[in-house]
Amino acid sequence: MTTLYSLGLGVGTQNSKGDWLEVFYPKPLLAPNSEITSAVAQVLEYQGGNVAVELTSDQIKALADAIDNAGDTELSQMVRTFDQGDKPAVAVLLDSDAEPTSVPEAYLKLHLLSHRLVKPHGVNLSGMFAVLPNVAWTNEGAVDLNELTERQLKARLKGQILDVDCVDKFPKMTNYVVPTGVRIAHTARVRLGAYVGEGTTIMHEGFVNFNAGTAGKSMIEGRISAGVMIGEGSDLGGGCSTMGTLSGGGNIVISVGEGCLLGANAGIGIPLGDRCTVEAGLYITAGSRIAVLDDKGEVVETVKARDLANKNDLLFRRNSQSGAVECKTNKSAIELNEELHAHN
């Protein structure tokens, strides 16, 4: 075995039955080199497939030595510390990007996203919701919901309070990784599995879901739902500012180009090109009927919003008198007609 899709060595939390609740990977690897792969495979007697192996103390020491000999001193030192605490350690070896079948596998893939090793929809997360347990995230870490009352009682008897921050399948990203070059005003609003690009600022009401994010310098003041990727190649001067909702999901990727603006409480269900604006309060779905206006404000044609996907320099607004959704462009009627009919 000389190739792997991904390798993760980490520590995590189990419930009283030994079921995994979460896993932290300090240095997840995508397509690790053959030396590291062979070293780990030999120690763990790996025979192929996607596996999660709970590590013994002897295996931890052997892995640290083997990885050091393979040339990755940083990872070796991290693995060596696994034996210094009382948390269980795990090795996850993925030879393919198949859907995750265990909590350690799912957490490795979420780490790959937040470490910017893969982009949203660049990794198979199918079936992940069925794999991940609902967990109480507390000031003492992850707690199984069936064991929460007992833990709360033990804390009270000591004169303490077990503070439950949230109950969810996903923890906040910053408890696992803080990407370089970002500002996050309210860390609880960014889930593990978010891809937050260099130079992104997420304000207090901003929210970034797993399998979603920003590719570059952006200002986020609204919600970015799963499947959405904004600001590919954007910069601060022409970055994408969003105060509304960007919704994806399934196999749909909603991308937003450079220099776009979504007004307060606005939302989109189609990808936008560069320099597009959606006025405040306007929500556009793929099937929304849009009256397309030319550069003189004349209606050229009425189309579905999906027909305008990925086009540049569009202004989406609602007519204050008729209530119709309109799209204003900088093209003449002739140019616009030719473009729309060529698209259809």
Side-chain angles (χ1 to χ4, degrees):
M1 166 58 65
T2 58
T3 62
L4 283 176
Y5 170 74
S6 181
L7 170 66
L9 302 170
V11 294
T13 304
Q14 295 175 332
N15 63 14
S16 61
K17 297 179 181 179
D19 300 323
W20 289 99
L21 301 179
E22 58 85 40
V23 181
F24 168 64
Y25 299 100
K27 188 182 178 182
L29 300 177
L30 181 69
N33 64 48
S34 58
E35 290 79 8
I36 295 296
T37 299
S38 296
V40 173
Q42 184 173 358
V43 171
L44 299 180
E45 299 180 353
Y46 174 63
Q47 300 298 315
N50 292 355
V51 298
V53 180
E54 187 171 345
L55 301 174
T56 66
S57 179
D58 289 341
Q59 286 174 321
I60 291 172
K61 294 174 183 175
L63 278 173
D65 291 340
I67 293 171
D68 193 19
N69 292 334
D72 194 331
T73 303
E74 180 186 23
L75 181 58
S76 173
Q77 291 175 343
M78 291 177 178
V79 171
R80 211 174 294 280
T81 65
F82 292 176
D83 210 24
Q84 298 175 8
D86 57 1
K87 287 289 188 178
V90 65
V92 174
L93 295 85
L94 304 180
D95 74 356
S96 68
D97 184 23
E99 63 182 64
T101 59
S102 68
V103 170
E105 288 180 38
Y107 266 78
L108 175 55
K109 292 193 169 188
L110 293 174
H111 276 70
L112 292 178
L113 283 159
S114 290
H115 277 267
R116 301 177 184 152
L117 297 174
V118 296
K119 291 185 177 180
H121 281 261
V123 62
N124 186 354
L125 301 179
S126 301
M128 185 174 61
F129 272 87
V131 170
L132 293 178
N134 224 17
V135 172
W137 300 99
T138 78
N139 57 315
E140 295 182 1
V143 177
D144 188 302
L145 292 179
N146 293 324
E147 300 171 2
L148 181 59
T149 301
E150 181 183 356
R151 291 282 295 273
Q152 289 174 318
L153 177 58
K154 287 182 179 179
R156 295 275 178 169
L157 293 173
K158 295 178 182 178
Q160 303 171 352
I161 293 179
L162 184 68
D163 188 11
V164 180
D165 296 319
C166 70
V167 177
D168 198 357
K169 289 178 178 289
F170 298 84
K172 62 182 181 181
M173 180 187 72
T174 53
N175 281 353
Y176 294 79
V177 56
V178 178
T180 58
V182 304
R183 293 171 54 206
I184 303 175
H186 190 350
T187 57
R189 296 181 64 82
V190 182
R191 278 172 151 182
L192 180 64
Y195 183 110
V196 184
E198 184 90 19
T200 293
T201 294
I202 303 172
M203 299 302 290
H204 291 80
E205 293 304 316
F207 174 83
V208 185
N209 210 340
F210 76 98
N211 205 28
T214 64
K217 295 178 180 178
S218 304
M219 174 69 73
I220 308 302
E221 297 182 78
R223 177 184 177 87
I224 304 179
S225 299
V228 175
M229 189 69 173
I230 74 169
E232 183 72 25
S234 62
D235 57 39
L236 188 58
C240 174
S241 175
T242 170
M243 294 175 283
T245 300
L246 298 99
S247 300
N251 293 318
I252 301 171
V253 179
I254 305 296
S255 60
V256 177
E258 299 179 29
C260 292
L261 171 64
L262 270 72
N265 299 315
I268 59 172
I270 62 169
L272 298 179
D274 297 335
R275 301 172 299 280
C276 292
T277 299
V278 181
E279 77 167 10
L282 179 60
Y283 199 106
I284 301 170
T285 65
S288 296
R289 302 294 293 180
I290 309 288
V292 182
L293 311 181
D294 64 12
D295 56 346
K296 297 180 181 179
E298 299 294 329
V299 177
V300 175
E301 191 168 358
T302 299
V303 300
K304 290 186 177 180
R306 65 171 61 94
D307 296 325
L308 302 173
N310 294 309
K311 296 188 180 300
N312 301 327
D313 303 301
L314 302 181
L315 167 62
F316 294 91
R317 68 189 189 189
R318 190 176 292 279
N319 187 296
S320 61
Q321 294 182 331
S322 67
V325 180
E326 299 175 338
C327 175
K328 191 163 182 0
T329 77
N330 59 3
K331 297 179 182 294
S332 69
I334 295 176
E335 290 176 316
L336 198 52
N337 260 316
E338 289 177 348
E339 183 174 318
L340 286 171
H341 286 290
H343 176 79
N344 293 327

